[in-house]
Amino acid sequence: MIGTTIKNREAELTVFRTRALFAGLCALIAFAILAGRMMYLQVIKREYYHTLAEANRISVLPVAPNRGLILDRNGEVLAANYSAYTLEVMPSKVGNLDKALDELATVIDIQPRDRRRFKKLLEESKNFESLPIRTRLTDAEIARFAVNRYRFPGFDIQARLFRNYPFGEIASHAIGYIGRINVSEVKKIESSGLAANYKGTDHIGKLGIEGSYEMELHGTTGSRQVEIDAGGRPIRSLASSAPQSGNNLTLTLDIKLQKVAEQAFADFRGGLVAIDPRNGEVLALVSKPGFDPNLFVDGIDPVNWDLLNNSPDKPLLNRILSSAYPPGSTIKPFLALAALESGKRTPAQSIRDPGYFALPGVAHRWRDDKEGGHGVVDMAKSIVVSCDTYYYQLASETDIDKTAAFMGMLGFGGKTAIDIDGEVIGVLPSRAWKEKRFARAASDGRKWYLGDSISAGIGQGYNAFTPMQLAHAIATIANDGVAHRPHLVRSVTDSAAGNIRTVAADPPQKLPLKPENVAIIKDALIGVTRDEGGTGVRVFAKAGYVSGGKTGTAQVFGLKGEKYRESKVQERLRDHAWYIAFAPAEQPVIAMAILVENGGFGGTTAAPIAREVLDYFLLGKQPDPKKLKLKKDEPKDAD
């Protein structure tokens, strides 16, 4: 029996069973892991991976809203939209961009200005943004590109909405313009929580109504859910949410009156603002020269930008709101009213004007415009003939701080709060103002001198006001001391519901003025156009209405004792011409301020512009082009 091995079947069976059990357990664990993983992926993470899968197949595209329209008070469209095909390029998908553009020019007409504009956009934009290289493609150009599309990867044709300003330069400073959104505006949009609503929007309002009413005009962005192919191109629309167009704005402007006013300005630089004194509605707002806002819609090219930005005439400057000038003699009726209200003067109180004003013990003489003087001058005559000597003396006897307080009540030295941006406050001089303005000067430089008051009395010295401030003040006088905030938007039409919402003007402000004093000043202003010696009599002779007005001539530089001869002075050193007006005198419906830069005498340059505008507004009389001989190269040495 030695050498014989006896199998232990029982033990082998146990080993086998153990191994089989282990293998089965491993298999079971493996299947459990797979099942668990499948459960995790299919059930627990189902939504997550479903979303990822859908994202690879589906894309949500923003749909920019139509921008709201801008209309004048009679329904004339001042800013509209139109759809056009645009050739666009995504620079990141094009290797040699210049070479590609050269080849593209053999298919589609690309002008040098298109290239300049594109390069400017390229410098300001991100590389992955789609940028327009040509807009307003013709059907023939679209067809030619479609045939040659394979040659131009990265280029594509898109249908886009464009802004159009049908009146070009007319009212450009009031309407403003839109332009591509720049980096600082992107940050502003993001910080204000509006980023989602600006997806798909390339342009934003920059100036004027377009800029100040951006939130009303922009609208609400919609979306489109599309299925895309492997190249990321939409192949099927799955769902959409329609955008909501921006609201339409109806302005207080009368575009026909605006055109007449701009025509009357000829080639002068300056500004005109006409206000309805009964409610503060701005009827016309002219700033010359202007600019064509259509230049900015596609992105202005560098050549045109340089012409606008570097022009000595500053066509981008809104002279009505953003530039302040010495008011000259247009300040006199307001100083006269201040003197009446304070009791410093009575209407009948007179002075004798020898042609100059002098202080006892002072050799210097403040010269009147009229050699030999105006003789005996009371308050009414001082306004009618614009007597400087009367106001030299009045200013010398008046506390400048009290004068500043009264003028501030009329709106000088502060914003009128018109509903477009860019308004400056000008300078309303006082002791406190000078001390602050010249804080770094030597101690005497901050002191207020009597000579400062005397110069301020005829609208010179430190005085500097905007044409809007003058228009607001004369409108308040015309409206018997009741002030209305100037505004350009009359109503807003909701694009969704069609409701018309009148823009609520601020409640009128009744100034604490004595009616009899206001009446005295209004009568004197009427005398300017009616009484003998009035500085506006010649211009308003035979007018079919009675108006009130005041001329003004503001020095640009001092002649140091020499007699001013306009023909001997460089054009840009000549005096500024002013005219303020209201009409008809019995129930004023329009008040104006007109400034002509370097236009010389207000009575010969600014007043004729007022006559053209009032003749049209009150009588429907169209300007006679033959009478518009206002050329800045025609100096006038006599008023």
Side-chain angles (χ1 to χ4, degrees):
M1 296 301 289
I2 299 174
T4 302
T5 301
I6 300 174
K7 289 185 177 180
N8 189 340
R9 292 184 175 277
E10 209 46 52
E12 290 177 350
L13 187 58
T14 299
V15 171
F16 174 75
R17 285 174 176 170
T18 301
R19 290 176 177 173
L21 182 62
F22 179 76
L25 187 60
C26 290
L28 186 61
I29 292 172
F31 277 112
I33 292 173
L34 289 174
R37 184 62 180 170
M38 188 168 65
M39 175 72 77
Y40 176 78
L41 295 175
Q42 295 285 337
V43 178
I44 297 175
K45 300 292 287 186
R46 179 181 181 283
E47 288 300 322
Y48 172 74
Y49 288 105
H50 176 77
T51 302
L52 284 183
E54 288 295 301
N56 288 333
R57 185 177 68 89
I58 297 173
S59 180
V60 178
L61 305 177
V63 181
N66 290 347
R67 194 170 178 82
L69 306 180
I70 300 175
L71 307 96
D72 87 334
R73 65 191 295 124
N74 298 311
E76 286 274 3
V77 177
L78 308 179
N81 304 312
Y82 69 95
S83 178
Y85 286 103
T86 304
L87 178 62
E88 300 190 359
V89 58
M90 191 170 290
S92 60
K93 292 186 176 181
V94 179
N96 189 329
L97 195 53
D98 289 332
K99 183 180 178 182
L101 290 177
D102 290 340
E103 292 181 10
L104 189 65
T106 63
V107 178
I108 290 180
D109 181 26
I110 298 178
Q111 296 292 321
R113 66 183 178 191
D114 296 322
R115 289 198 177 215
R116 293 195 298 265
R117 183 177 58 217
F118 173 75
K119 288 187 176 180
K120 187 171 186 292
L121 291 175
L122 192 60
E123 293 171 358
E124 299 171 349
S125 305
K126 297 172 183 175
N127 200 35
F128 52 82
E129 284 183 340
S130 183
L131 302 175
I133 178 67
R134 248 300 306 280
T135 58
R136 304 178 185 86
L137 297 177
T138 65
D139 291 342
E141 288 174 323
I142 294 171
R144 285 201 300 273
F145 179 78
V147 171
N148 292 277
R149 184 190 297 272
Y150 70 94
R151 295 169 51 193
F152 304 106
F155 289 83
D156 205 354
I157 290 179
Q158 302 284 345
R160 287 186 179 272
L161 283 175
F162 290 90
R163 201 65 158 168
N164 176 247
Y165 302 95
F167 291 95
E169 285 194 16
I170 304 295
S172 55
H173 286 279
I175 300 169
Y177 65 89
I178 66 169
R180 291 184 70 85
I181 300 174
N182 59 35
V183 174
S184 64
E185 288 161 343
V186 168
K187 293 179 179 176
K188 188 176 178 181
I189 289 171
E190 290 175 346
S191 64
S192 57
L194 298 171
N197 198 38
Y198 272 80
K199 284 185 176 178
T201 299
D202 298 324
H203 294 76
I204 194 169
K206 301 282 186 176
L207 288 177
I209 292 294
E210 291 278 28
S212 301
Y213 282 85
E214 170 66 22
M215 292 301 100
E216 293 281 3
L217 292 166
H218 178 263
T220 305
T221 298
S223 63
R224 190 162 66 98
Q225 195 176 52
V226 297
E227 187 175 358
I228 58 176
D229 61 13
R233 296 184 177 183
I235 57 175
R236 187 161 63 100
S237 180
L238 302 176
S240 65
S241 171
Q244 181 178 321
S245 300
N247 296 330
N248 296 338
L249 302 181
T250 299
L251 306 188
T252 60
L253 282 182
D254 180 338
I255 195 63
K256 292 180 181 177
L257 178 69
Q258 179 85 21
K259 285 197 285 188
V260 168
E262 299 212 12
Q263 183 182 357
F265 249 87
D267 57 353
F268 274 112
R269 300 179 302 276
L272 176 152
V273 57
I275 297 176
D276 186 337
R278 299 167 299 177
N279 51 29
E281 292 185 348
V282 177
L283 303 169
L285 192 153
V286 176
S287 180
K288 297 276 285 183
F291 58 89
D292 185 353
N294 293 300
L295 291 173
F296 293 88
V297 173
D298 299 341
I300 190 168
D301 67 89
V303 172
N304 280 317
W305 174 248
D306 287 342
L307 288 174
L308 290 175
N309 199 40
N310 299 319
S311 168
D313 290 339
K314 301 183 184 306
L316 295 176
L317 173 66
N318 186 337
R319 288 170 161 80
I320 295 297
L321 299 178
S322 304
S323 192
Y325 305 83
S329 294
T330 58
I331 200 174
K332 291 174 180 173
F334 307 108
L335 295 180
L337 181 58
L340 288 174
E341 289 288 326
S342 66
K344 203 69 180 178
R345 286 285 188 278
T346 64
Q349 195 172 347
S350 303
I351 67 158
R352 180 169 294 279
D353 172 22
Y356 62 86
F357 172 75
L359 288 169
V362 178
H364 178 75
R365 288 181 173 182
W366 284 267
R367 181 175 57 86
D368 195 287
D369 260 1
K370 184 178 181 180
E371 291 186 11
H374 294 278
V376 177
V377 179
D378 61 9
M379 180 172 286
K381 185 177 178 180
S382 74
I383 295 174
V384 170
V385 302
S386 197
C387 176
D388 286 345
T389 305
Y390 184 95
Y391 291 93
Y392 288 142
Q393 183 168 326
L394 176 62
S396 71
E397 299 171 2
T398 307
D399 187 309
I400 187 64
D401 293 333
K402 292 181 179 178
T403 300
F406 181 85
M407 296 292 283
M409 183 179 64
L410 290 170
F412 295 104
K415 294 184 178 181
T416 65
I418 189 174
D419 51 345
I420 57 174
D421 298 329
E423 189 173 17
V424 300
I425 63 172
V427 176
L428 177 59
S430 65
R431 287 184 176 84
W433 171 84
K434 189 176 183 183
E435 187 170 342
K436 182 178 179 181
R437 171 64 179 82
F438 297 100
R440 296 183 180 179
S443 57
D444 286 348
R446 290 178 285 173
K447 183 180 178 182
W448 186 266
Y449 294 97
L450 183 57
D452 295 334
S453 293
I454 294 173
S455 294
I458 59 165
Q460 294 288 162
Y462 297 117
N463 283 306
F465 304 133
T466 66
M468 177 58 75
Q469 289 171 333
L470 264 300
H472 179 57
I474 192 63
T476 301
I477 298 300
N479 201 36
D480 297 324
V482 179
H484 290 271
R485 180 176 66 85
H487 59 281
L488 275 161
V489 173
R490 173 183 267 188
S491 63
V492 179
T493 303
D494 187 278
S495 62
N499 298 328
I500 298 176
R501 169 170 37 99
T502 301
V503 175
D506 294 344
Q509 183 185 7
K510 175 68 176 174
L511 302 186
L513 302 174
K514 295 177 182 176
E516 60 270 25
N517 290 339
V518 176
I520 290 168
I521 299 302
K522 288 177 71 174
D523 285 343
L525 291 169
I526 293 168
V528 171
T529 67
R530 185 190 58 193
D531 295 350
E532 182 181 356
T535 54
V537 167
R538 187 174 60 187
V539 172
F540 282 89
K542 299 181 181 179
Y545 49 86
V546 178
S547 68
K550 182 69 193 79
T551 55
T553 304
Q555 284 185 346
V556 174
F557 82 114
L559 287 170
K560 298 181 179 178
E562 296 180 24
K563 182 175 175 57
Y564 176 82
R565 301 290 297 179
E566 189 169 293
S567 58
K568 303 296 182 184
V569 177
Q570 292 180 25
E571 191 269 332
R572 290 183 187 274
L573 294 179
R574 293 172 189 163
D575 296 342
H576 294 325
W578 282 96
Y579 195 74
I580 56 175
F582 62 87
E586 56 276 16
Q587 285 186 318
V589 296
I590 184 171
M592 290 192 298
I594 298 167
L595 165 80
V596 182
E597 283 187 8
N598 311 115
F601 290 97
T604 54
T605 308
I609 295 174
R611 174 69 189 269
E612 296 288 345
V613 174
L614 293 179
D615 279 0
Y616 171 79
F617 189 73
L618 299 175
L619 308 176
K621 185 178 177 182
Q622 291 289 339
D624 182 355
K626 294 180 181 178
K627 292 183 179 179
L628 298 175
K629 296 179 179 179
L630 303 172
K631 304 294 182 185
K632 60 186 176 184
D633 57 351
E634 294 177 359
K636 307 157 197 64
D637 287 329
D639 190 358

